[in-house]
Amino acid sequence: MNTVLIGSQWGDEGKGKVIDVLTDKADFVVRYQGGSNAGHTVIAEGKKRVLRLIPSGILHEGKTCVIGNGVVMNPLDLIEEIDQMRATGVDPTGRLFISTRTQMVMLYHRALDKAEEAARAPAKKIGTTGRGIGPAYAAKVSRTGFRCGDMLAKNFLEKVREQVVETNAKLKMLKAERVDEGDAIEVPGCTIKDYQLDPDEIVAIYKVAAEKLAPYIKDTVPMLHKAKAAGKSILLEGAQGTMLDIDFGTYPFVTSSNPTSGGACIGSGLSPRDIDCVVGVIKAYTTRVGAGPFPTELYNAEDKQDPDGKLMAERGHEFGAVTKRPRRTGWYDAVVARYAQQVNGVDYWAMTKLDVMDPFPKIKICVAYELDGQVIDYMPTSADELARVKPVYEEMDGWMCETSNVTRIEDLPPKAKAYVDRLVELSGGKLGILSIGPARESTLRIAL
Ligand code: IMP
């Protein structure tokens, strides 16, 4: 059984926890897109860990983890993560493999990400994580990127030097175009003076990185197909979410990859025929971090202060796992969920954070949108249209008692069960998992 797990909203649905729970039935866990813009939080045996690149399967003994070709991998972040793993007693050697085809995020991609964002007018800012994701995918598509296998080649460092010199020329232009106050752009791990990187310093950094990562680099396509042929089960782990997909999300306020289930094949080398099941992780309310339209938004750090949204943010600890930015919060949007069900082919929902909704006397669900006076039940194509829609709500009674101590779905308060049933009914698919707290143990497994 090979399963793809995707985020159904704007990321931060709690995928880290669900992947961790589902890993017990998997032999291989493969990350298929995104980079260290993601932060998958896992709480197990009282310890909290945030994984950015390494699949969380690494925390389970005997599981093999693969960073697939669809990922953009920052070698320095990966080395840091491997070191952190080792410090907590988990040695990834022999269990972690990076595809020879995986594109690399270089320090100069991070510099470009920051310089490009600083050159965007306020209304056009994407609010990127500053992790170099967009520039790394742009390099991939324009066929100038480095793949991990290139780190093993003799002329790697020479090519790195050439690219630093080329990037310095681009950075000079971006400096002239910047609209933000101040001169500096900063990237941890290297020196940037007056928007310029030092080629010698960058080359020295990648010399060490290539040596450290060499043992993990492998052609993972035959490896996965051999595993499949031997009847092993593979869990494909998406990062971000459907509404941040470069094709299906709220373009241009999106990430630069395909978090949707189609991306799993492209990003791993498995074929569509190899996928048996799609699990959509979805929160019992909605959040978004970064810029872009969000129809059911109630609360954000700048100009929306609805107390219901504030309560969601507080109870749900809605701060970015990587960037620490406060997330925007709002009611559950069933238009988003239905769209996610369609474009991903969700078989089962893993619904998370139901417990966050415990104290609300009344809970709203967005069932449709009103766009320019017309009621629509589908996702508009453009971000401008989505910014104009007004949510059409239905309202349900809250249950106003704690759910996090429940151990069987039948024991949920009837009003909480009715809310979950209604969300599933509106969204399509079936309920597979219900999560009622951050720990591994606070999980009701219904069908998965
Ligand atoms: P980028 O992926 O850093 O280019 O950022 C593009 C958009 O995706 C921004 O709005 C980010 O806030 C958002 N984003 C990227 N990664 C994540 C994530 O893991 N969770 C939630 N939002 C994300």
Side-chain angles (χ1 to χ4, degrees):
M1 175 98 161
N2 301 327
T3 302
V4 178
L5 182 137
I6 56 102
S8 310
Q9 295 155 317
W10 277 277
D12 309 316
E13 297 91 353
K15 294 180 290 295
K17 175 186 160 169
V18 180
I19 297 157
D20 184 53
V21 167
L22 290 182
T23 296
D24 62 0
K25 290 189 182 163
D27 302 296
F28 282 68
V29 186
V30 184
R31 174 82 185 269
Y32 65 82
Q33 49 69 234
S36 32
N37 49 348
H40 290 167
T41 307
V42 181
I43 302 176
E45 284 126 29
K47 270 193 219 154
K48 179 174 167 179
R49 287 193 175 91
V50 178
L51 296 150
R52 291 176 301 174
L53 284 162
I54 304 181
S56 41
I58 207 75
L59 303 176
H60 296 248
E61 248 175 70
K63 311 285 172 180
T64 306
C65 295
V66 172
I67 298 180
N69 58 282
V71 171
V72 285
M73 191 277 296
N74 179 332
L76 308 181
D77 287 348
L78 183 61
I79 291 168
E80 192 183 317
E81 223 171 302
I82 291 174
D83 288 347
Q84 276 166 7
M85 283 283 142
R86 287 221 178 94
T88 56
V90 180
D91 186 0
T93 317
R95 288 209 291 130
L96 173 68
F97 299 97
I98 315 158
S99 164
T100 39
R101 294 178 174 86
T102 301
Q103 291 278 331
M104 285 164 54
V105 180
M106 308 296 280
L107 282 162
Y108 46 81
H109 292 139
R110 292 198 63 176
L112 281 172
D113 195 357
K114 297 218 167 153
E116 282 167 2
E117 190 76 338
R120 287 184 187 115
K124 295 204 165 157
K125 285 195 192 300
I126 296 167
T128 75
T129 57
R131 295 268 166 183
I133 305 302
Y137 277 113
K140 171 180 181 173
V141 177
S142 59
R143 294 159 292 187
T144 56
F146 283 117
R147 308 205 295 180
C148 285
D150 295 332
M151 273 198 280
L152 309 176
K154 279 206 180 93
N155 59 357
F156 172 60
L157 296 175
E158 202 181 299
K159 285 192 173 169
V160 170
R161 183 179 295 278
E162 278 168 20
Q163 293 219 356
V164 176
V165 173
E166 281 166 25
T167 308
N168 275 343
K170 284 189 204 155
L171 286 170
K172 209 170 176 183
M173 287 194 286
L174 284 164
K175 185 179 175 221
E177 288 168 22
R178 75 191 186 276
V179 292
D180 286 353
E181 296 280 307
D183 273 343
I185 48 165
E186 281 173 20
V187 172
C190 70
T191 329
I192 305 184
K193 272 199 204 130
D194 201 22
Y195 266 58
Q196 298 290 286
L197 297 142
D198 173 359
D200 290 336
E201 183 193 48
I202 304 294
V203 165
I205 290 171
Y206 286 108
K207 185 172 186 298
V208 177
E211 280 159 14
K212 286 198 175 163
L213 289 181
Y216 299 95
I217 301 171
K218 194 177 166 91
D219 183 356
T220 53
V221 174
M223 183 183 176
L224 290 178
H225 283 274
K226 218 181 265 175
K228 195 192 77 185
K232 303 279 184 205
S233 118
I234 304 171
L235 177 61
L236 295 129
E237 147 178 1
Q240 290 87 44
T242 303
M243 299 307 293
L244 289 171
D245 186 283
I246 184 88
D247 288 278
F248 298 109
T250 51
Y251 191 89
F253 303 100
V254 290
T255 193
S256 298
S257 64
N258 290 112
T260 45
S261 58
C265 293
I266 297 292
S268 67
L270 288 177
S271 85
R273 291 182 200 284
D274 298 325
I275 309 301
D276 302 296
C277 177
V278 179
V279 176
V281 186
I282 196 153
K283 254 194 289 221
Y285 53 99
T286 314
T287 62
R288 172 164 205 170
V289 60
F294 176 1
T296 62
E297 182 168 19
L298 293 170
Y299 176 79
N300 65 39
E302 284 97 45
D303 61 0
K304 286 206 172 168
Q305 296 295 319
D306 185 290
D308 284 334
K310 190 160 189 270
L311 187 59
M312 283 174 204
E314 282 165 6
R315 289 186 54 83
H317 307 288
E318 296 297 353
F319 289 89
V322 171
T323 58
K324 311 281 178 237
R325 290 183 292 179
R327 297 178 188 143
R328 303 152 69 188
T329 56
W331 299 116
Y332 186 89
D333 187 336
V335 183
V336 166
R338 274 198 300 273
Y339 179 62
Q341 204 282 329
Q342 289 167 346
V343 299
N344 295 291
V346 171
D347 296 298
Y348 291 104
W349 297 109
M351 191 170 288
T352 59
K353 293 194 160 182
L354 181 70
D355 54 304
V356 168
M357 306 308 282
D358 287 351
F360 290 79
K362 295 279 177 197
I363 303 180
K364 286 185 183 170
I365 307 170
C366 168
V367 292
Y369 297 145
E370 195 191 304
L371 175 63
D372 304 332
Q374 279 205 322
V375 174
I376 58 166
D377 62 359
Y378 58 85
M379 183 57 60
T381 313
S382 82
D384 282 350
E385 281 177 321
L386 194 63
R388 285 207 307 278
V389 303
K390 291 193 187 78
V392 177
Y393 285 119
E394 66 178 40
E395 195 173 76
M396 293 186 78
D397 287 338
W399 45 97
M400 303 194 61
C401 59
E402 208 181 310
T403 51
S404 50
N405 47 4
V406 170
T407 52
R408 298 181 321 158
I409 184 106
E410 307 84 86
D411 299 336
L412 273 182
K415 285 179 178 165
K417 177 80 172 44
Y419 178 64
V420 172
D421 287 347
R422 183 67 182 139
L423 298 191
V424 173
E425 181 186 19
L426 286 166
S427 315
K430 298 185 205 97
L431 187 66
I433 285 181
L434 185 65
S435 168
I436 43 172
R440 218 181 244 176
E441 302 73 47
S442 310
T443 314
L444 309 182
R445 294 181 79 156
I446 298 131
L448 288 167

